[in-house]
Amino acid sequence: MKIDIISVVPDLLQSPFAHSILKRARDKGLLEVNVINLRDYTTYARAQVDDYAFGGGAGMVMMMEPLVNAIESLQKTTAYDEVIYLTPDGASFNQKMANHFSLKNNLLLICGHYKGIDERVRQHFITKEISIGDYVLSGGEIAAAVLVDAIGRLIPGVLNDETSALTDSFQDNLLAPPVYTRPEEFRGWKVPDILLSGNHKLIEEWRVEQSLQRTKERRPDLLED
């Protein structure tokens, strides 16, 4: 999979992809992540990429021309399955979306900044608009890192145990059950006997019950879908 990211501050995205699971995915050649500096595509003085909003008001707006130049330049060499704009007013990102995007070959992410991007870019170039939560960040870079992490770990071969992702929270609209590891007892706190029984059928039934109970208590909205 190839994911390209257009950013005004590309240095913000150096660390998230240089460690742990995503680093292994890149080293294995399973995931390619490229961060593109939007300022390389502007024709304005001092690498300008934003301007005042028509009609007045506080805040700056990301200009059309640099974004269009960048998108069209990248599209010459890559056929993107989706062009995604990270914005607070986009659709809420969830595990179902991550599963969907993990099956794609090429994604282009656009990190918003300031008061957002010129609406005409959204109308003519963007195919998906996504938010990672009901709050506003300084820019879309953190949101882009979240998408890449959530999507990248689902690519076959990225995780050492590929079945691990299938038991994560939000798969099947349930939260994951509680998990335990050694020691079996610590300060009198014991691991549930069922997990030590060796009866895999009963253990699986217990985990399903625990997932359902935890979801009812913490995220009942997931059961309403």
Side-chain angles (χ1 to χ4, degrees):
M1 170 180 279
K2 176 183 177 183
I3 302 179
D4 291 336
I5 306 171
I6 297 176
S7 168
V8 177
V9 281
D11 288 347
L12 286 177
L13 289 167
Q14 294 307 312
S15 178
F17 310 136
H19 304 279
S20 190
I21 291 174
L22 291 185
K23 181 180 185 300
R24 293 201 300 270
R26 298 175 78 182
D27 291 344
K28 290 179 180 179
L30 299 173
L31 175 64
E32 177 185 346
V33 181
N34 304 299
V35 183
I36 293 93
N37 190 341
L38 179 62
R39 297 187 189 278
D40 292 340
Y41 292 88
T42 184
T43 58
Y44 292 86
R46 299 181 298 280
Q48 180 183 355
V49 295
D50 62 295
D51 209 337
Y52 296 103
F54 282 124
M60 307 292 278
V61 178
M62 293 177 69
M63 304 163 73
M64 273 201 75
E65 291 164 281
L67 277 170
V68 171
N69 289 342
I71 294 169
E72 290 185 338
S73 176
L74 294 168
Q75 286 177 329
K76 290 178 181 178
T77 56
T78 303
Y80 293 105
D81 299 295
E82 299 285 2
V83 178
I84 301 170
Y85 173 44
L86 287 314
T87 173
D89 59 351
S92 295
F93 186 61
N94 56 31
Q95 190 64 40
K96 184 177 180 180
M97 284 188 188
N99 293 341
H100 171 76
F101 290 134
S102 72
L103 301 176
K104 304 299 183 181
N105 294 316
N106 302 299
L107 301 175
L108 177 59
L109 310 185
I110 298 176
C111 302
H113 261 271
Y114 317 114
K115 298 298 284 186
I117 65 177
D118 190 295
E119 183 68 18
R120 291 167 290 183
V121 177
R122 300 174 74 164
Q123 293 172 343
H124 296 284
F125 292 91
I126 304 302
T127 63
K128 296 285 185 182
E129 300 186 347
I130 292 178
S131 166
I132 62 166
D134 295 338
Y135 45 84
V136 177
L137 299 170
S138 299
E141 283 74 19
I142 294 175
V146 168
L147 260 69
V148 174
D149 190 288
I151 295 167
R153 66 192 302 278
L154 297 172
I155 299 172
V158 170
L159 297 179
N160 292 330
D161 181 357
E162 293 184 15
T163 62
S164 175
L166 299 178
T167 57
D168 287 339
S169 288
F170 305 112
Q171 296 287 9
D172 299 324
N173 274 11
L174 292 176
L175 300 182
V179 293
Y180 301 84
T181 189
R182 289 181 290 227
E184 294 179 15
E185 183 174 345
F186 180 75
R187 295 182 180 175
W189 307 326
K190 297 181 179 180
V191 173
D193 291 338
I194 185 66
L195 297 179
L196 307 175
S197 68
N199 189 322
H200 297 294
K201 181 176 183 296
L202 291 180
I203 289 172
E204 183 58 29
E205 290 175 355
W206 179 88
R207 285 175 171 160
V208 171
E209 291 172 359
Q210 291 293 313
S211 288
L212 186 57
Q213 180 179 333
R214 180 163 286 190
T215 306
K216 286 180 178 178
E217 293 173 351
R218 303 184 182 191
R219 290 293 304 277
D221 56 296
L222 293 174
L223 301 174
E224 298 171 2
D225 294 340

